[in-house]
Structure formats: C-alpha cells, structure tokens
Amino acid sequence: MPRKTWRAALAAYASPSTLVLLLLGFAAGMPYMLVFSTLSVWLREAGVARETIGYASLIGLAYAFKWVWSPLLDQWRLPVLARLGRRRSWLVLAQTLVIVGLIGMSFCDPQKHLSWLIAIAVMVAFASATQDIAVDAYRLEIAEDNSQAALAASYMAGYRVAALLATAGALFFAEAFGSTGYAYLHKAWAGTYLLFGVLMVPALITTLLMREPAVPLRTQLSAGRYTFTHQLVSVFVLIILLVSVPAMFTQLYNTDFAAVLFNGESVLDLLLTDRAFLRAILYIILTALCLSAMGRRGLAPVLTPVNDFVVRYRWQALLLLGLIATYRMSDTVMGVMANVFYIDQGFTKDQIASVSKVFGLIMTLAGAGFGGLLIVRFGILPILFIGGVASAATNLLFLMLADMGPNIQMLVVTISLDNFSSGMATSAFVAYLSSLTNLKFSATQYALLSSIMLLLPRLIGGYSGVMVEKFGYHNFFLITAVLGVPTLLLIALHWHQENRRGRLEALGASQETQ
C-alpha cells in the first residue's frame, strides 16, 4: 500500500464516519459493563449470595459466542425495518432492545424480582452483542482498509469512555441517589439504570441519521441465499454441538470404566448404575445428530463464511489464524494478574484507580489515535509489528516494578507506556482483521476472527495465577513478554510474503506494458 502524507493521515479523523463510530462505540461500551461488572455490585449491595452473583456473570458468555448467530445479520433481512438497510435495521433493533431492557431492569428489585432482573439482563446482553456484530460490519463496509484504524480508534474512544461511565460513573450515581453498602435503596439503582437507558437514545438517533454502507446489491444477495428457517436451524444445531461435545468428554472422564476393566462389571451394568456414563451416551447421540445435520448442509450458513476464508487464503489461512490467535497473548495473559499485582505490591486503591483506570484510559486512547494515524501514513503490517513488539516489551517494565516495590513514579511510567502500546496495537490489529474479511460475510467473519483472537489468550490467562504462585511475579512477567515472540515471527513471515507478492505483481504489470 502506498504511503500517504501526514496531512492525509490526519484527514482520516476529520470524516463524519469518525464521529459516527465514536457514538456507536459509546453505545457498545455501556450495556456490556451494566450487565456484567456493575450488575454484580448492584446484586451484592442488595444482599444476593456470592454464588448467585457468580452464576449471573455467565451472562457475559453472550459476547463470547456472538459469532454463532452473526450469519443472521449477513443473510437475513428484518421485516419492516429492512427498508433502513442491512446494517442499520439490525442496529435499530438491537439498540431499541438495549434501551427497553435497561429501563426494564430499573423496575426490578433483586430482593424481590431477581429472576426477572437476570432474564432481562440476558436479553440486554444478547441485544448488545448483536449491536457489536452490526457495528463491526458497518465499520468494515464504510471505509477502505487503510482507514479502518482511524475508525477503530474512534470506536475505542467511545467504548472506553462509556465503559468508565458505566462502572465508576454508575457507582457514583447510585451512591449519589442514596444507595450505599450500608443502606441499600432500590430507587437509587433504578434511577441509575434508567439514566443509562436514556443515554442510549443518542446512538439510536445516530443510527437513524447515518448512511447505509454502499455495498453492491449483488454482494448482499450472494451472501443471503439461505432461508430464515435454514439459518435458525443452523444456529440451533451449532449451539447444541458447542454444548454437547465438551459435556460428552466431561461425562466420559467421570465414568467409572475401571469397574468394567478390573472389577468384572459389564457395559450394561455400567449403563444401569453409572449416571455419568448414561449422560455421556446421550451427549454422544446429540453430537451424532448434529454431525448428521452438518452432512445435510444444516450448518451451511455458518460454515460458508468460514469456507470462503479458507478458499481465499488457502494454506496461508493457517499462518493468518496463528497470527490472530497469538497477537494479544502477551498483554492479555499479563492483564489477568495486573490488579492483583498492584494490590500485592502495596499500592492503595486510590492509587490504582487514579493511575491504572483514569490515567490509563487517557493513554490507551492516545495510543489508539496515534496508531490509527501511523497506519494511514505507513500501512498496516509495519504498525502491527511495532505494536506487537511494544506490547511484549512493556511487560518487562512490570518485571522492573515487581523488584522495586510500591514505587508510584514507576507505576505511572509502566501504566503509561503499557496502555499507550496496547491502544496502538489494538488499532493496528482491528485494521488487520478488517482487511481479512470479505464484505459478503463481514459480520460473520469479523465476529469469528475476533473470537479466535481472545480464545487462546483467555485459556492461558486462566492459569496466570498458577504461574505467579509457582514462578513469582518477576518470572511471570518475563514469561508473558516471551509469549509475544511467536507472533512477531509470524508477522515477519507474513510481511515478507506480502512484499514478495507485491514485487511479483509489479514485475508482471511491467512485463504486460512492454
């Protein structure tokens, strides 16, 4: 991609689309925190048991599996609202459900209507996740690849500000309205959630006023060649498959096969006496039925976008998926233990809040904006590589901080550079994922790729506490820095291949002109 001037790079932030993404990012950041983080505080203040609050946190799974129903946004037109366009119609539906849901939650006192509160929160979570899918697809379709970083930075700015407002701000509002840890008042929390429902209205107005992406009708029609019933069956089958396969292996693990191998019991005895084995058989049957449905093209609406990605990139798809799966590994695994580390180092809650939350937010937004500027100026892959280096290298600052104790100056330096590099890397990575998607399946492919981005880091991050206990913070931060090396090798290989392909295309073009 040819380099642009600094003036042209800055112009990327002056487009109306940047303001639209800022407002849509704000709308995306609020409901996630209100049904996940802030809701847990509300429930605890109302006296709900910790176990129940833990189960309620599973609402967040809606965001992890949003790729399952994302094909509906590519392939099905909503009745009545379809006149707004493929993207705006889904955004209007999702944002309306979020507004109605937040207002509905405000009327539910968890001391009296806990089940209703959780049910409405689940609806808000699914509507919010659907909004995320539609916003990502809209962003992909309104601008070229080199402008995606600027749009992503604007989206991130709105998202982070809304997330801060929906967490710290929500607690402040609830406290100001009269509910405290010592004197719970439902009206205070009702007023807070009602306020946030009203704050979603500007995003709905923005959706109604903004332009629909100019995607060719032929491209849209080629994506939507499955009936609504076929798509719903596809989603239903995939959900069952995602549940039944892990459950099958879990029940097989709990089955007492030793009784058959060493105690002389028959398989029939095992079936009659071991409930784990019986459940395993049922899950095996469900899995077989799902696989049979796949054979009859039951999952075609979901698998077609995946197959399109593999066909377009062929063997390079493995390299790209490896790069995507490992790019955020270093900072994500480290981030799981970050707040625990601050406490263990002896920093106060006020210091953590002011430096890591407020000041850290400012540095993240600055890094995202600077990253978007650099990408427009120099291209995606160079900044993707620099962001990967910076994200891994800043973990070494945490290593130094671990050896210095509660040094507030070092904490400021560490948080500043870490959040700045994280913002820059995120802008580059969003632009990179955007460049890989096909506009025919933009909602599905981006939702799937972004889910792959978080899968491996989240799994390894689950063992971060074990690593700290075994190796200590010094070696833990060293390990997380080293986790960034494989990504850098994959980016370098991909960059080399892209440069080689560019030279071959230039050589072929020059030979044709001769």
Side-chain angles (χ1 to χ4, degrees), residues 172-179 185 187-193 195:
F172 171 80
F173 289 134
E175 186 88 13
F177 292 157
S179 183
L185 181 64
K187 289 183 179 179
W189 283 100
T192 299
Y193 272 71
L195 174 62

Side-chain angles (χ1 to χ4, degrees), residues 254-267 269-271 273-274:
N254 293 327
T255 300
D256 186 16
F257 287 111
V260 177
L261 296 175
F262 305 109
N263 297 337
E265 292 189 11
S266 65
V267 175
D269 294 333
L270 194 65
L271 185 63
T273 59
D274 194 326

Side-chain angles (χ1 to χ4, degrees), residues 354-372:
S354 60
V355 176
S356 69
K357 303 302 181 186
V358 180
F359 186 67
L361 171 63
I362 296 173
M363 295 305 297
T364 299
L365 299 182
F370 187 63

Side-chain angles (χ1 to χ4, degrees), residues 86-372:
R86 183 166 62 153
R87 299 309 175 200
R88 291 198 303 155
S89 60
W90 280 100
L91 277 172
V92 167
L93 175 64
Q95 290 167 350
T96 301
L97 289 176
V98 169
I99 293 172
V100 172
L102 292 178
I103 295 174
M105 290 176 68
S106 71
F107 287 100
C108 297
D109 186 346
Q111 292 182 340
K112 301 176 182 178
H113 314 106
L114 179 60
S115 298
W116 275 105
L117 178 63
I118 298 300
I120 297 175
V122 170
M123 183 197 76
V124 172
F126 275 96
S128 174
T130 303
Q131 178 185 225
D132 292 349
I133 298 169
V135 170
D136 286 330
Y138 174 82
R139 174 180 52 79
L140 292 171
E141 294 171 357
I142 62 174
E144 298 178 354
D145 293 342
N146 60 342
S147 299
Q148 288 296 327
L151 296 179
S154 180
Y155 174 85
M156 187 188 303
Y159 190 99
R160 292 300 181 94
V161 170
L164 183 63
L165 183 62
T167 50
L171 300 185
F172 171 80
F173 289 134
E175 186 88 13
F177 292 157
S179 183
T180 68
Y182 304 100
Y184 167 71
L185 181 64
H186 169 247
K187 289 183 179 179
W189 283 100
T192 299
Y193 272 71
L194 185 61
L195 174 62
F196 280 104
V198 173
L199 288 176
M200 281 290 300
V201 174
L204 179 59
I205 296 174
T206 300
T207 300
L208 293 171
L209 295 178
M210 68 189 190
R211 65 180 178 87
E212 178 70 13
V215 178
L217 181 62
R218 183 176 180 180
T219 300
Q220 298 185 37
L221 294 177
S222 64
R225 58 181 181 270
Y226 300 104
T227 65
F228 178 61
T229 302
H230 193 176
Q231 294 172 52
L232 282 183
V233 170
S234 173
V235 172
F236 181 70
V237 169
L238 186 58
I239 291 174
I240 294 178
L241 195 61
L242 290 173
V243 173
S244 61
V245 171
M248 174 184 68
F249 285 107
T250 301
Q251 297 303 324
L252 287 175
Y253 177 80
N254 293 327
T255 300
D256 186 16
F257 287 111
V260 177
L261 296 175
F262 305 109
N263 297 337
E265 292 189 11
S266 65
V267 175
L268 180 60
D269 294 333
L270 194 65
L271 185 63
L272 295 175
T273 59
D274 194 326
R275 291 187 176 182
F277 185 60
L278 179 61
R279 287 192 289 265
I281 295 297
L282 294 177
Y283 284 123
I284 290 173
I285 294 173
L286 276 176
T287 301
L289 291 174
C290 290
L291 293 175
S292 175
M294 289 176 60
R296 294 193 299 269
R297 300 181 65 203
L299 291 183
V302 178
L303 296 181
T304 297
V306 177
N307 183 63
D308 170 80
F309 181 85
V310 175
V311 169
R312 279 192 295 125
Y313 293 103
R314 300 189 181 185
W315 67 270
Q316 282 190 332
L318 293 176
L319 185 151
L320 298 178
L321 292 176
L323 194 162
I324 292 169
T326 59
Y327 188 73
R328 302 309 304 273
M329 182 94 68
S330 182
D331 54 348
T332 300
V333 175
M334 184 279 297
V336 175
M337 284 289 108
N339 287 331
V340 179
F341 168 68
Y342 301 146
I343 296 293
D344 290 344
Q345 281 293 98
F347 293 107
T348 66
K349 293 184 179 67
D350 290 339
Q351 290 173 329
I352 297 171
S354 60
V355 176
S356 69
K357 303 302 181 186
V358 180
F359 186 67
L361 171 63
I362 296 173
M363 295 305 297
T364 299
L365 299 182
F370 187 63

